[in-house]
Short mmCIF file of all heavy atoms in Angstrom, two decimals:
data_model
loop_
_atom_site.label_atom_id
_atom_site.label_comp_id
_atom_site.label_asym_id
_atom_site.label_seq_id
_atom_site.Cartn_x
_atom_site.Cartn_y
_atom_site.Cartn_z
N ALA A 1265 93.18 79.61 113.81
CA ALA A 1265 93.20 79.49 115.26
C ALA A 1265 94.04 78.35 115.68
O ALA A 1265 94.85 78.55 116.63
CB ALA A 1265 91.77 79.29 115.76
N SER A 1266 94.00 77.18 114.98
CA SER A 1266 94.70 76.03 115.40
C SER A 1266 96.28 76.30 115.11
O SER A 1266 97.12 75.68 115.78
CB SER A 1266 94.20 74.81 114.72
OG SER A 1266 94.43 74.81 113.36
N PHE A 1267 96.59 77.10 114.18
CA PHE A 1267 98.00 77.33 113.90
C PHE A 1267 98.48 78.66 114.50
O PHE A 1267 99.68 79.17 114.18
CB PHE A 1267 98.26 77.32 112.36
CG PHE A 1267 98.44 76.03 111.84
CD1 PHE A 1267 97.27 75.27 111.40
CD2 PHE A 1267 99.62 75.26 111.72
CE1 PHE A 1267 97.32 74.01 110.84
CE2 PHE A 1267 99.66 73.94 111.24
CZ PHE A 1267 98.59 73.37 110.89
N ASN A 1268 97.61 79.32 115.28
CA ASN A 1268 97.92 80.56 115.85
C ASN A 1268 98.32 81.71 114.86
O ASN A 1268 99.35 82.42 115.08
CB ASN A 1268 98.86 80.43 117.04
CG ASN A 1268 98.92 81.53 117.99
OD1 ASN A 1268 97.88 82.31 118.06
ND2 ASN A 1268 100.02 81.81 118.64
N ILE A 1269 97.71 81.90 113.80
CA ILE A 1269 97.91 82.98 112.76
C ILE A 1269 96.76 83.90 112.80
O ILE A 1269 95.62 83.56 112.79
CB ILE A 1269 98.07 82.26 111.36
CG1 ILE A 1269 99.26 81.22 111.32
CG2 ILE A 1269 98.18 83.18 110.28
CD1 ILE A 1269 99.45 80.49 110.16
N LYS A 1270 97.18 85.22 112.75
CA LYS A 1270 96.15 86.32 112.83
C LYS A 1270 95.31 86.30 111.52
O LYS A 1270 95.83 86.11 110.46
CB LYS A 1270 96.92 87.55 112.95
CG LYS A 1270 96.08 88.74 113.06
CD LYS A 1270 95.68 89.24 114.49
CE LYS A 1270 94.90 90.54 114.43
NZ LYS A 1270 93.70 90.40 115.10
N LEU A 1271 93.93 86.41 111.83
CA LEU A 1271 93.11 86.44 110.63
C LEU A 1271 92.17 87.70 110.84
O LEU A 1271 91.72 88.00 111.86
CB LEU A 1271 92.11 85.21 110.62
CG LEU A 1271 91.11 85.20 109.46
CD1 LEU A 1271 91.09 83.89 108.83
CD2 LEU A 1271 89.75 85.59 109.97
N ILE A 1272 92.12 88.49 109.65
CA ILE A 1272 91.13 89.56 109.70
C ILE A 1272 90.21 89.53 108.52
O ILE A 1272 90.52 88.95 107.49
CB ILE A 1272 91.89 90.99 109.66
CG1 ILE A 1272 92.78 91.09 108.37
CG2 ILE A 1272 92.73 91.23 110.85
CD1 ILE A 1272 93.45 92.43 108.18
N GLU A 1273 88.93 90.02 108.80
CA GLU A 1273 88.05 89.91 107.74
C GLU A 1273 87.70 91.41 107.35
O GLU A 1273 87.28 92.26 108.22
CB GLU A 1273 86.65 89.31 108.20
CG GLU A 1273 86.81 87.90 108.41
CD GLU A 1273 85.45 87.36 108.87
OE1 GLU A 1273 84.51 87.20 108.02
OE2 GLU A 1273 85.25 87.06 110.08
N CYS A 1274 88.02 91.81 106.16
CA CYS A 1274 87.74 93.05 105.57
C CYS A 1274 87.69 93.10 104.08
O CYS A 1274 88.17 92.21 103.41
CB CYS A 1274 88.76 94.03 106.05
SG CYS A 1274 90.50 93.63 105.70
N PHE A 1275 86.98 94.02 103.54
CA PHE A 1275 86.85 94.26 102.15
C PHE A 1275 86.12 93.16 101.40
O PHE A 1275 85.94 92.02 101.97
CB PHE A 1275 88.19 94.44 101.46
CG PHE A 1275 88.96 95.46 101.97
CD1 PHE A 1275 90.17 95.27 102.69
CD2 PHE A 1275 88.50 96.87 101.84
CE1 PHE A 1275 90.90 96.24 103.25
CE2 PHE A 1275 89.33 97.88 102.48
CZ PHE A 1275 90.52 97.65 103.11
N SER A 1276 85.51 93.44 100.22
CA SER A 1276 84.84 92.52 99.54
C SER A 1276 85.76 91.68 98.66
O SER A 1276 86.94 92.15 98.51
CB SER A 1276 83.79 93.08 98.59
OG SER A 1276 84.45 93.89 97.52
N ARG A 1277 85.38 90.59 98.08
CA ARG A 1277 86.23 89.85 97.21
C ARG A 1277 86.74 90.60 96.05
O ARG A 1277 87.80 90.46 95.60
CB ARG A 1277 85.63 88.47 96.77
CG ARG A 1277 84.33 88.68 96.09
CD ARG A 1277 83.67 87.41 95.73
NE ARG A 1277 83.13 86.68 96.85
CZ ARG A 1277 82.91 85.37 96.99
NH1 ARG A 1277 83.13 84.66 95.96
NH2 ARG A 1277 82.54 84.80 98.12
N ASP A 1278 85.92 91.51 95.50
CA ASP A 1278 86.25 92.35 94.35
C ASP A 1278 87.36 93.28 94.82
O ASP A 1278 88.35 93.54 94.05
CB ASP A 1278 85.08 93.13 93.90
CG ASP A 1278 84.01 92.19 93.15
OD1 ASP A 1278 84.40 91.17 92.48
OD2 ASP A 1278 82.89 92.54 93.17
N GLU A 1279 87.22 93.98 95.95
CA GLU A 1279 88.21 94.92 96.45
C GLU A 1279 89.49 94.26 96.69
O GLU A 1279 90.58 94.79 96.31
CB GLU A 1279 87.69 95.61 97.70
CG GLU A 1279 86.58 96.49 97.55
CD GLU A 1279 86.04 97.02 98.92
OE1 GLU A 1279 85.79 96.29 99.81
OE2 GLU A 1279 85.69 98.26 98.92
N LEU A 1280 89.52 93.01 97.27
CA LEU A 1280 90.77 92.36 97.48
C LEU A 1280 91.37 91.97 96.18
O LEU A 1280 92.63 92.24 96.08
CB LEU A 1280 90.49 91.12 98.38
CG LEU A 1280 90.18 91.18 99.80
CD1 LEU A 1280 89.91 89.92 100.55
CD2 LEU A 1280 91.34 91.87 100.55
N GLY A 1281 90.72 91.45 95.26
CA GLY A 1281 91.26 91.16 93.99
C GLY A 1281 91.85 92.36 93.23
O GLY A 1281 93.04 92.25 92.71
N SER A 1282 91.11 93.34 93.14
CA SER A 1282 91.54 94.58 92.36
C SER A 1282 92.81 95.16 93.08
O SER A 1282 93.59 95.72 92.32
CB SER A 1282 90.55 95.59 92.16
OG SER A 1282 90.03 96.06 93.35
N SER A 1283 92.90 95.06 94.33
CA SER A 1283 94.06 95.73 95.02
C SER A 1283 95.28 95.02 94.71
O SER A 1283 96.40 95.59 94.74
CB SER A 1283 93.90 95.63 96.54
OG SER A 1283 94.10 94.32 97.15
N ILE A 1284 95.23 93.74 94.37
CA ILE A 1284 96.45 92.96 93.96
C ILE A 1284 96.50 92.71 92.42
O ILE A 1284 97.48 91.94 92.02
CB ILE A 1284 96.60 91.63 94.73
CG1 ILE A 1284 95.48 90.76 94.39
CG2 ILE A 1284 96.79 91.91 96.26
CD1 ILE A 1284 95.69 89.28 95.06
N GLY A 1285 95.65 93.38 91.73
CA GLY A 1285 95.69 93.17 90.17
C GLY A 1285 95.30 91.81 89.68
O GLY A 1285 95.70 91.32 88.71
N LYS A 1286 94.41 91.20 90.31
CA LYS A 1286 93.84 89.98 89.92
C LYS A 1286 92.32 89.89 90.01
O LYS A 1286 91.70 90.88 90.30
CB LYS A 1286 94.24 88.80 90.99
CG LYS A 1286 95.70 88.69 91.20
CD LYS A 1286 96.37 87.77 90.24
CE LYS A 1286 97.82 87.58 90.56
NZ LYS A 1286 98.55 86.95 89.46
#
Side-chain angles (χ1 to χ4, degrees):
S1266 67
F1267 282 88
N1268 200 23
I1269 294 170
K1270 178 95 171 126
L1271 179 134
I1272 57 174
E1273 288 182 80
C1274 54
F1275 305 111
S1276 70
R1277 58 182 69 203
D1278 290 326
E1279 290 171 314
L1280 287 177
S1282 65
S1283 73
I1284 61 170
K1286 303 273 185 193

